Amino acid sequence: MANISDSIALNIAFYPWFALGHLTSFLRLANKLAERGHKVSYYLPTKTQSKLTSQNHYPDHLTLIPIDVPPVDGLPPGAETTNDAPSAAPLIMTAMDMTRDTIESHLAQLKPDFVFYDFAYWMPELGRKHGFKTVHYITGYIARYAGFATFINKHFSMKEAADKAETLPELPTEIFRMRVHESKIMAGVGFKKFGLKGLTLGEQFGISFRECDAIGVKICKEMEEFYCEFVEKIVGPVVPKPPSSKLEERFDDWLKGFASASVIYCALGSECTLELNQFQEYVLNSSGNVYLALSLS
């Protein structure tokens, strides 16, 4: 194992969709990260744990954590994954949504650096609340997402995307291309109510893609280079927009008292213990933060 030092090892959690294809794909990635010495916590349905334990190749770094799946009206007793109830995916999603409080409690104690997820569209909200980054991990090929990347980025619903299917942006290659009738079929799947809050699958993915910190895909450029670059161009990079607020007049007037390019800006927070009288100028704002203007002349 290519161990890394404890000082740079990351604390990473996984919470995949309750389907064996997703669970196993996520577990392969979890093993790759554990192999490198990162601490990995992998959440999965309780009875499904026994099916995947043998695939945990690095138990010293990778911990499988069982989560009880709540009962849902209409879901067969004991069903945990789509493998248990192939036609009941919306109800499986309802059960997954009902684990939100349990997962939040776990993550609040775990304090991970990153959480990888796919169908749990509410994960970015938990990430903002508890201070971890979220990665929407796509277990399938990226080509099927490329056609709708523009619509997702522009907050179009799945119905709007289906209606606009004939005007999809020109894709970079014909190797994998969703035809108009296929786009409408996929959009039809996206119309279905999926989960506890009655959102459609398309609405959930739209929220997930827009609010996550990063998108990961189980693919390589040798297989789908054209589509990787296409989606990167349409969706990313994810950087903050330039601030639109104006500097307060009192700060603006104060800074104008210094010569051009002669000031260093330091925001030291509210716990500053410096001897402020050693500096030429400073301002203490209403929130208690200290701003220093150091003359370079």
Side-chain angles (χ1 to χ4, degrees):
M1 183 189 301
N3 284 320
I4 58 178
S5 67
D6 291 339
S7 62
I8 61 174
L10 296 172
N11 185 2
I12 304 170
F14 285 78
Y15 195 45
W17 166 231
F18 292 168
L20 288 181
H22 292 242
L23 288 159
T24 54
S25 290
F26 270 70
L27 188 53
R28 291 190 192 101
L29 177 58
N31 271 304
K32 288 289 186 181
L33 293 170
E35 180 183 14
R36 287 160 174 75
H38 298 295
K39 176 186 176 183
V40 180
S41 300
Y42 184 96
Y43 296 95
L44 75 171
T46 299
K47 291 187 296 184
T48 305
Q49 181 177 358
S50 61
K51 300 177 182 179
L52 298 182
T53 298
S54 63
Q55 297 181 41
N56 179 2
H57 303 311
Y58 302 96
D60 289 343
H61 293 276
L62 172 55
T63 304
L64 303 184
I65 304 174
I67 297 294
D68 289 335
V69 178
V72 176
D73 288 343
L75 194 63
E80 291 186 330
T81 69
T82 56
N83 188 59
D84 301 321
S87 62
L91 296 178
I92 293 290
M93 189 66 232
T94 297
M96 192 172 194
D97 282 348
M98 292 169 66
T99 68
R100 174 173 173 161
D101 289 346
T102 299
I103 290 295
E104 180 175 7
S105 178
H106 276 270
L107 296 177
Q109 296 181 40
L110 182 65
K111 301 185 186 304
D113 298 298
F114 294 93
V115 174
F116 285 75
Y117 72 102
D118 49 0
F119 279 30
Y121 67 95
W122 31 264
M123 194 63 74
E125 184 178 348
L126 298 187
R128 292 191 297 270
K129 181 177 178 181
H130 296 287
F132 57 80
K133 300 298 183 181
T134 54
V135 182
H136 181 110
Y137 184 55
I138 298 172
T139 59
Y141 53 89
I142 200 171
R144 64 177 174 174
Y145 291 88
F148 286 112
T150 297
F151 301 116
I152 289 172
N153 201 38
K154 292 183 178 180
H155 296 211
F156 287 144
S157 67
M158 289 295 283
K159 183 179 187 305
E160 290 170 321
D163 292 341
K164 296 174 182 289
E166 295 181 6
T167 60
L168 285 171
E170 188 63 30
L171 297 178
T173 175
E174 293 289 334
I175 296 175
F176 297 108
R177 186 180 181 90
M178 193 178 295
R179 301 297 186 261
V180 172
H181 70 280
E182 294 171 325
S183 298
K184 291 182 180 294
I185 291 172
M186 287 299 295
V189 173
F191 295 152
K192 292 184 178 180
K193 301 295 183 181
F194 210 73
L196 190 60
K197 291 192 174 181
L199 298 175
T200 66
L201 183 60
E203 289 169 336
Q204 292 185 16
F205 273 110
I207 293 170
S208 183
F209 284 138
R210 290 192 298 269
E211 295 190 4
C212 67
D213 295 291
I215 297 172
V217 188
K218 192 185 73 173
I219 197 61
C220 60
K221 283 195 172 183
E222 287 79 3
M223 294 177 66
E224 292 191 86
E225 179 177 7
F226 296 113
Y227 289 101
C228 290
E229 293 176 351
F230 178 81
V231 173
E232 286 174 3
K233 180 180 178 181
I234 295 296
V235 177
V238 184
V239 295
K241 294 181 179 180
S244 58
S245 59
K246 294 182 178 180
L247 189 64
E248 290 184 33
E249 184 177 354
R250 61 193 179 111
F251 290 150
D252 189 41
D253 292 341
W254 176 62
L255 289 171
K256 286 177 180 176
F258 297 92
S260 177
S262 67
V263 171
I264 297 175
Y265 169 75
C266 304
L268 303 179
S270 58
E271 301 297 327
C272 177
T273 58
L274 297 172
E275 292 294 333
L276 296 178
N277 57 12
Q278 66 184 285
F279 296 103
Q280 180 175 336
E281 298 280 355
Y282 72 88
V283 165
L284 184 66
N285 72 0
S286 58
S287 65
N289 293 313
V290 177
Y291 298 90
L292 306 178
L294 312 183
S295 176
L296 301 183
S297 59

